[in-house]
Structure formats: structure tokens, C-alpha cells
């Protein structure tokens, strides 16, 4: 019989993931023990995807309109488009690898940031990788985590992980600000602000569930 380390329960049948928490099961299962019928998992994609497409179009149009009214040397609407593309790519990868959402998001932010820094360095180091790409990647990661939690109906255990991730995403842009490594500071300020607000929202509205989960996991 298979066993779930997170729920501390034995699972009959030949399953790969726990039906309660979706963690990987240990032990060996038997086909004849399967008593739970296979129920296909479905997500309410249509409305969420339509809203996201509409918001993406609105943001792109608004960025080009603002740039046309208040032109600057930096073509920042292209960074907005790149950020939106990152949102869609990240969301698609997270949903595909939904059994390990936090790890997938961390790897994406790390790879995008490292590639941007290398590209910036090889082209003469203008500083756009730290000014724009990294804070945008942090904000995108927080957006993807929130949407993934809602779409995939993730539990309290994952909220705890999200709190830690939000803290990491908020601290790193602060380091660049304190070290005076940025020429354009408002993207990093926005990233830090979004991280603090996200962390505050989770703590305020999910604190009871998080505390119960911590007591259960720490055997308090």
C-alpha cells in the first residue's frame, strides 16, 4: 500500500500522487486495490484567460500611449511587452509543472535574470538588466504565483512556500537600491512594494490557516 508523507495516510490503489495534497506517494501500489474512480481534473480556464488577454492588451496599448505623450530615450514599452510575454510563458510552464510550482517559478526567475545580466554585460553594461528585467521578473513571478494558486486550488502548505518566495523577491531589489546599483529606481520600488503588499495580504487573510498548518507540521 502506498503512503503519503505529508498527510500521513495510506492510499489504496496504484496512484502516483496523493488525492488530498498532490504530493508524490511512496511505496508500491496494486491495480486490484484501486477503489477510487478516475475523475478528470478540470480548471476554469476560459474566463481567467480572457481576462488576462484583455488586461495584457490594455497594458500594452496604455504603455505605448503614455510613451507617445511623454517620450523618453528608453523604449520602455518594449520591456512591458517582454514582461507580459514572461507572464504567459511562466504561467504556461507552471500549469504544466503544477506539482512543483515554487521550484518552477524560482528557476524561471533565475534563468531570465542571469541571461539578462550576461546580455547587458556583453553589450557594454547599460544597466537595463538590473533596472528593468530583474524587478519585472520578480513582479511577474508574484503574479504567476497568485494566479496559479487560484487556478490550481493549491492548499495552505503552498501559501507558506509563497510567503517565503515573496520575501525573497522583495529583498533582492532592495539590495540593488541600497548598493546604489540602479540608474532607474522605480521598477525596483514597484517590485518591493508589490512584494510587501502580497506578503501582507497573505498574512492578513490566511494567517489562521497558515498557523494551523504550522502547528500540524511542527507537532506543536
Amino acid at each position: 500500500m502506498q503512503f503519503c508523507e505529508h498527510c500521513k495516510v495510506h492510499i489504496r490503489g496504484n496512484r502516483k500522487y496523493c488525492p488530498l495534497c498532490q504530493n508524490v506517494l511512496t511505496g508500491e501500489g496494486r491495480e486490484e486495490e484501486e477503489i477510487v474512480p478516475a475523475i478528470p481534473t478540470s480548471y476554469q480556464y476560459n474566463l481567467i484567460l480572457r481576462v488576462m488577454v484583455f488586461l495584457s492588451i490594455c497594458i500594452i496599448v496604455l504603455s505605448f500611449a503614455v510613451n507617445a505623450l511623454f517620450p523618453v530615450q528608453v523604449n520602455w514599452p518594449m520591456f512591458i511587452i517582454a514582461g507580459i510575454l514572461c507572464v504567459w510563458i511562466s504561467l504556461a510552464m507552471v500549469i504544466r509543472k503544477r506539482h512543483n510550482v515554487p521550484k518552477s517559478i524560482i528557476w524561471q526567475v533565475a534563468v531570465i535574470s542571469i541571461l539578462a545580466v550576461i546580455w547587458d554585460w556583453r553589450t557594454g553594461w547599460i544597466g537595463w538588466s538590473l533596472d528593468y528585467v530583474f524587478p519585472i521578473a520578480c513582479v511577474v513571478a508574484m503574479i504567476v504565483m497568485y494566479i496559479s494558486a487560484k487556478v490550481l486550488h493549491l492548499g495552505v502548505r503552498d501559501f507558506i512556500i509563497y510567503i517565503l518566495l515573496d520575501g525573497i523577491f522583495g529583498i533582492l531589489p532592495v539590495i540593488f537600491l541600497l548598493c546604489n546599483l540602479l540608474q532607474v529606481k522605480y521598477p525596483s520600488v514597484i517590485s518591493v512594494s508589490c512584494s510587501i503588499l502580497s506578503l501582507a495580504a497573505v498574512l492578513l487573510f490566511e494567517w489562521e490557516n497558515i498557523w494551523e498548518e504550522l502547528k500540524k507540521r511542527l507537532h506543536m
Side-chain angles (χ1 to χ4, degrees):
M1 186 175 293
Q2 294 172 299
F3 183 73
C4 176
E5 296 290 344
H6 177 254
C7 300
K8 305 299 181 184
V9 296
H10 292 278
I11 306 296
R12 290 184 177 181
N14 187 16
R15 308 174 68 89
K16 185 176 181 181
Y17 300 102
C18 175
L20 300 177
C21 65
Q22 299 301 315
N23 274 350
V24 179
L25 298 175
T26 58
E28 297 183 358
R30 299 178 180 178
E31 292 292 343
E32 62 270 18
E33 292 181 352
E34 186 65 56
I35 60 174
V36 180
I39 302 176
T41 305
S42 60
Y43 306 114
Q44 298 178 349
Y45 287 127
N46 291 334
L47 180 59
I48 296 176
L49 291 178
R50 290 176 184 178
V51 171
M52 288 187 62
V53 170
F54 179 72
L55 290 177
S56 301
I57 295 173
C58 290
I59 293 172
I60 293 174
V61 172
L62 181 62
S63 64
F64 278 100
V66 172
N67 190 50
L69 294 174
F70 307 100
V72 293
Q73 294 181 351
V74 179
N75 189 13
W76 59 270
M78 297 305 298
F79 291 101
I80 298 295
I81 294 177
I84 292 174
L85 289 176
C86 289
V87 171
W88 283 101
I89 294 173
S90 298
L91 186 60
M93 293 182 65
V94 165
I95 293 177
R96 185 176 180 182
K97 300 180 181 295
R98 58 183 177 273
H99 299 296
N100 202 338
V101 175
K103 182 178 179 180
S104 175
I105 294 175
I106 289 177
W107 274 106
Q108 290 181 60
V109 174
V111 170
I112 292 173
S113 301
I114 292 173
L115 290 177
V117 170
I118 294 175
W119 186 10
D120 194 3
W121 173 63
R122 295 292 295 177
T123 55
W125 190 256
I126 301 176
W128 55 266
S129 58
L130 298 182
D131 290 341
Y132 295 100
V133 175
F134 187 77
I136 289 176
C138 292
V139 174
V140 166
M142 287 184 281
I143 295 173
V144 171
M145 283 192 294
Y146 177 78
I147 296 175
S148 301
K150 293 298 182 182
V151 173
L152 301 176
H153 304 290
L154 299 178
V156 178
R157 178 176 57 89
D158 298 282
F159 274 112
I160 299 175
I161 300 175
Y162 291 163
I163 290 176
L164 297 177
L165 291 176
D166 286 340
I168 294 174
F169 293 146
I171 290 173
L172 293 180
V174 168
I175 296 175
F176 299 142
L177 289 169
L178 294 177
C179 295
N180 200 22
L181 298 176
L182 305 175
Q183 299 178 2
V184 181
K185 297 183 179 181
Y186 65 86
S188 294
V189 173
I190 293 174
S191 175
V192 174
S193 302
C194 290
S195 178
I196 295 174
L197 292 175
S198 175
L199 180 60
V202 173
L203 289 175
L204 286 174
F205 295 105
E206 297 293 337
W207 172 249
E208 292 82 4
N209 293 329
I210 292 173
W211 178 245
E212 291 297 326
E213 182 70 12
L214 286 174
K215 289 195 295 183
K216 182 175 70 175
R217 298 301 297 168
L218 299 176
H219 304 287
M220 297 172 59

